Amino acid sequence: MRKALAGLTTRGRSFVAAGTTAIVCAFVLGERDLLRAGVLVLVLPLLSTMAVSRTRYRLACARRLEPARLPVGHEARMDLRLENVSRLPSGLLMVEDRVPHSLGGRARFVLDRIEPQGSRQLSYRVRSEVRGRYRVGPLTVRLADPFGMVELVRSFSLTDTLTVTPRVVALPQELPGGAWAGGGDSIARAVATAGEDDVAPREYRHGDDLRRVHWRSTARRGELMVRREEQHWQSSGTLFLDTRRMAYWGEGPSSSFEQAVSIAASIGVQLGRSGLGLRFVTDQGEALPRMSGAGGGTAGDGSGAGGFEGPLLEALAMARMSKNRSLTAGLAALRGAGGTGANGTGRDGDGLVVAVLGVLSAEEAGTVASARRGNGTSIAVIVDAAPPRHAAEPDGGDRGEAQARLLRAAGWRVIVVRSAAELAGAWASSGDPSSRDDRDLARGVS
């Protein structure tokens, strides 16, 4: 009853106040007719409250969100099934599903009546232009009396989680021309460094080629042993994302940071589907350990299953700008992780490294340049979407090109873009490590 009284509407509270006032005035003035009117006005909302509080509707709710993960700008469908599992028909029901404002706001429905053991199907669509993870629900049902005096809210506990991933730009399937994505070790390399006698053979299995029988191990073990099949090089790589707030400009979906996140997602998806074993590193350290790539899906649909693509998109959906002012921790993780090969030497230095960076200072560019090691290909994608700092600067992109020259001198292949939409063309033309931007050639840069 206490909860029901708390559910009095503005009309119900007005009736209670008017009835109480009339009763007090009736005692003061000695007016019996005013007393009767006051009691009637006061009792009406109380009776409505009692009637609603004693309502024994039993409702069941089932919900389904399809898909549960989608890129920005796409729609998801929410299907609700509300069932009356009691023996009494329901009255007027106002149904509301809690939806974050970024997905379009609350979804509201009015159901006139649900017969006993009957059900109603409800559906609506949600769409977001802002990546992130959103909680949808729970569903609430509002019960009201015919006079509009009281309104009770009953809520279900079920909710759904919608993950909105960054926009993915389709890139050429092949790696930039001449890019070396090697890394890891093979049995052939172990043979070359340690000798054939140190190769670990295994027991003979039915169907094995007799030409691979290792006779020396067979004589030593007293059972037929065969050489293991040669294991090829495991292609590997690292995706690095600079998330420092100071390196980007703007707010919202059009900011340069959002462009960087979209670029990182596009590159990570393309490299993962190429079969590379990838890990994800930010300026704060390693965010995802190395995972093997997985095929399947269509670029941009956000539905890639397994492998590196799914965890990467989940991580980038929740990526936020950091307050870090240095790339030291991230570059240390970029250089230091990965383990060793069969010969005891580090192997990650031979893998592909793709770094998505904001605008760098000259000192930061030098630090990034020194992070390159080994014989692997290192590609830096600089997102230079900031406006000019001074009116005399005709093009804000010149600052990005100044730092690009420092990176190229250290052996990095550099791509300077303003948005994710420019990435596909720039990615395809980044094959020649000795190439220079047209503006560099015009200035006579060698």
Side-chain angles (χ1 to χ4, degrees):
M1 190 65 179
R2 184 179 303 173
K3 292 182 179 179
L5 288 174
L8 285 172
T9 63
T10 302
R11 179 183 299 177
R13 294 177 186 276
S14 299
F15 268 66
V16 171
T20 303
T21 303
I23 292 173
V24 172
C25 292
F27 280 109
V28 173
L29 300 175
E31 292 287 342
R32 290 188 176 184
D33 293 338
L34 183 59
L35 177 62
R36 295 189 186 97
V39 171
L40 177 61
V41 173
L42 177 62
V43 168
L44 183 59
L46 296 179
L47 291 177
S48 298
T49 299
M50 184 177 298
V52 173
S53 64
R54 294 177 67 86
T55 300
R56 290 294 181 262
Y57 296 148
R58 290 193 300 160
L59 303 174
C61 176
R63 57 190 305 139
R64 183 181 65 179
L65 178 63
E66 183 66 31
R69 187 179 73 199
L70 74 165
V72 295
H74 289 63
E75 289 187 345
R77 179 186 176 94
M78 175 64 74
D79 293 317
L80 302 169
R81 176 184 172 88
L82 195 63
E83 184 177 0
N84 181 11
V85 295
S86 66
R87 296 180 180 181
L88 298 175
S90 71
L92 182 66
L93 300 177
M94 290 173 284
V95 181
E96 180 179 297
D97 203 21
R98 296 180 183 177
V99 181
H101 179 72
S102 299
L103 298 181
R106 298 174 184 265
R108 297 177 178 177
F109 308 89
V110 177
L111 301 180
D112 186 18
R113 180 179 180 274
I114 303 180
E115 63 278 3
Q117 307 303 320
S119 64
R120 295 291 184 272
Q121 300 285 346
L122 306 173
S123 64
Y124 63 92
R125 294 184 177 274
V126 293
R127 174 190 176 98
S128 177
E129 297 296 335
V130 181
R131 60 183 176 81
R133 185 174 290 123
Y134 302 95
R135 180 186 178 189
V136 183
L139 184 72
T140 59
V141 178
R142 298 177 182 270
L143 306 176
D145 70 295
F147 301 105
M149 297 288 183
V150 64
E151 184 179 88
L152 293 183
V153 178
R154 296 180 178 176
S155 179
F156 295 93
S157 59
L158 291 177
T159 61
D160 287 292
T161 300
L162 176 65
T163 302
V164 181
T165 61
R167 194 183 309 275
V168 175
V169 178
L171 300 179
Q173 293 299 317
E174 65 277 359
L175 295 176
W180 167 246
D185 295 282
S186 68
I187 295 298
R189 181 178 181 180
V191 171
T193 56
E196 183 179 357
D197 289 341
D198 293 330
V199 177
R202 61 170 176 81
E203 295 82 0
Y204 174 83
R205 298 172 185 168
H206 180 71
D208 284 340
D209 190 348
L210 292 178
R211 290 175 295 181
R212 293 197 294 112
V213 172
H214 193 269
W215 297 108
R216 184 169 300 180
S217 298
T218 298
R220 185 185 306 118
R221 297 285 298 274
E223 57 180 327
L224 202 59
M225 306 291 290
V226 297
R227 297 183 180 89
R228 295 181 184 272
E229 295 180 356
E230 181 176 336
Q231 300 174 358
H232 298 284
W233 285 89
Q234 171 63 50
S235 298
S236 62
T238 301
L239 177 63
F240 180 89
L241 175 63
D242 180 7
T243 65
R244 298 171 304 143
R245 182 180 298 275
M246 59 180 294
Y248 298 99
W249 174 85
E251 298 290 340
S254 60
S255 66
S256 60
F257 177 69
E258 292 300 321
Q259 300 300 319
V261 172
S262 179
I263 289 171
S266 303
I267 295 174
V269 168
Q270 191 272 335
L271 294 180
R273 292 177 180 176
S274 298
L276 271 71
L278 294 172
R279 64 189 178 108
F280 178 47
V281 178
T282 70
D283 56 287
Q284 303 178 68
E286 186 175 78
L288 290 176
R290 191 176 307 283
M291 302 180 188
S292 61
T298 303
D301 64 2
S303 61
F308 181 71
E309 179 178 340
L312 174 67
L313 292 178
E314 292 278 350
L316 290 177
M318 299 301 296
R320 298 292 181 265
M321 287 187 284
S322 70
K323 297 181 180 179
N324 288 351
R325 304 188 65 85
S326 171
L327 291 169
T328 303
L331 294 179
L334 184 66
R335 291 189 295 258
T340 59
N343 61 349
T345 61
R347 64 188 181 198
D348 281 341
D350 294 334
L352 174 67
V353 174
V354 180
V356 181
L357 307 165
V359 177
L360 305 173
S361 65
E363 180 180 357
E364 292 166 346
T367 303
V368 175
S370 63
R372 182 180 182 273
R373 63 187 181 88
N375 299 322
T377 301
S378 297
I379 302 175
V381 181
I382 299 178
V383 184
D384 189 6
R389 295 178 182 175
H390 306 289
E393 293 181 0
D395 185 1
D398 289 345
R399 295 194 305 277
E401 286 300 327
Q403 312 314 328
R405 289 193 291 271
L406 293 177
L407 295 176
R408 290 191 183 106
W412 287 77
R413 301 183 184 182
V414 183
I415 302 172
V416 180
V417 294
R418 291 182 177 274
S419 67
E422 301 177 5
L423 179 63
W427 184 261
S429 61
S430 65
D432 185 3
S434 63
S435 64
R436 296 293 186 269
D437 190 271
D438 292 341
R439 286 173 288 183
D440 290 342
L441 294 176
R443 298 187 186 100
V445 178
S446 59

